[in-house]
């Protein structure tokens, strides 16, 4: 492999701009979603919604902080030209964390559904929300290869679109 081309100022501006867009979209969704939900549901039902949403977020913790290490390893493999190993490692992690996340989602949904204070249909809602977050983890793992390959703007655009979709939904 030859020497990588140096980044030009415009490249840095695009990369940093896309990172700022991700942060701004996440910040806006954190501000707008609760406001829209309170307006649509009312304060009492929003409290129930927020509680269930908190349970749905638990699978996001199930990556055990392995993503930075995976990013480093994929970066080393990519630099060595071992693309098949990059794909294999990413898929193994997606399978592993997807399986752990799916089992965790089922357990969380069952625990929440067993709480007699909540309505009977929360199992499906919490399970769907938790599984959606597991899919977000799996997608983020796939985006690691995209970022390592140098398509940082494309990876950041995907994450910005995710936040925008949350606002629109």
């Amino acid at each position: 492999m030859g020497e990588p081309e140096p980044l030009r100022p415009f490249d840095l501006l695009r990369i940093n701009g896309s990172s700022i867009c991700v942060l701004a979209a996440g910040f806006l969704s954190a501000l707008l979603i609760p406001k829209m939900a309170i307006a649509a549901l009312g304060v009492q039902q929003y409290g129930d919604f927020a509680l269930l949403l908190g349970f749905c977020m638990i699978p996001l913790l199930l990556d055990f902080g392995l993503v930075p290490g995976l990013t480093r390893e994929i970066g080393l493999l990519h630099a060595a030209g071992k693309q098949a190993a990059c794909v294999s490692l990413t898929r193994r992690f997606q399978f592993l964390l997807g399986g752990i996340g799916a089992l965790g989602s089922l357990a969380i949904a069952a625990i929440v559904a067993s709480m007699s204070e909540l309505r009977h249909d929360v199992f499906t809602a919490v399970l769907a929300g938790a599984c959606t977050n597991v899919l977000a983890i799996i997608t983020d793992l796939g985006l690691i290869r995209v970022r390592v390959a140098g398509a940082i703007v494309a990876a950041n655009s995907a994450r910005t679109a995710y936040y925008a979709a949350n606002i629109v939904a």
Side-chain angles (χ1 to χ4, degrees):
M1 292 192 104
E3 286 294 312
E5 292 183 33
L7 291 174
R8 299 173 303 213
F10 181 72
D11 294 332
L12 292 174
L13 181 65
R14 281 183 36 245
I15 291 167
N16 289 334
S18 68
S19 296
I20 289 169
C21 285
V22 170
L23 294 173
F27 180 73
L28 284 175
S29 70
L31 289 178
L32 294 177
I33 290 174
K35 182 177 173 122
M36 293 185 301
I38 289 171
L41 299 172
V43 175
Q44 176 61 40
Q45 285 183 314
Y46 175 73
D48 295 342
F49 168 76
L51 176 67
L52 295 178
L53 188 62
F55 284 113
C56 293
M57 295 297 197
I58 292 172
L60 292 175
L61 303 172
L62 296 176
D63 73 354
F64 304 112
L66 296 173
V67 173
L70 177 63
T71 302
R72 180 184 177 282
E73 189 63 29
I74 288 176
L76 293 172
L77 291 170
H78 181 77
K82 299 178 179 177
Q83 300 309 319
C86 288
V87 172
S88 174
L89 184 62
T90 302
R91 287 188 179 153
R92 283 191 310 228
F93 264 81
Q94 287 174 320
F95 182 76
L96 174 69
L97 294 180
I100 291 170
L103 292 174
S105 296
L106 278 170
I108 292 162
I111 290 167
V112 171
S114 71
M115 297 177 183
S116 61
E117 300 84 23
L118 299 173
R119 293 183 10 212
H120 70 283
D121 57 351
V122 297
F123 177 83
T124 305
V126 172
L127 182 61
C131 287
T132 300
N133 285 320
V134 170
L135 290 175
I137 291 171
I138 291 170
T139 302
D140 260 358
L141 290 173
L143 287 175
I144 289 172
R145 283 197 347 256
V146 174
R147 285 190 297 272
V148 166
I152 298 168
V153 174
N156 285 344
S157 297
R159 183 169 276 170
T160 301
Y162 167 75
Y163 287 129
N166 283 334
I167 294 171
V168 173

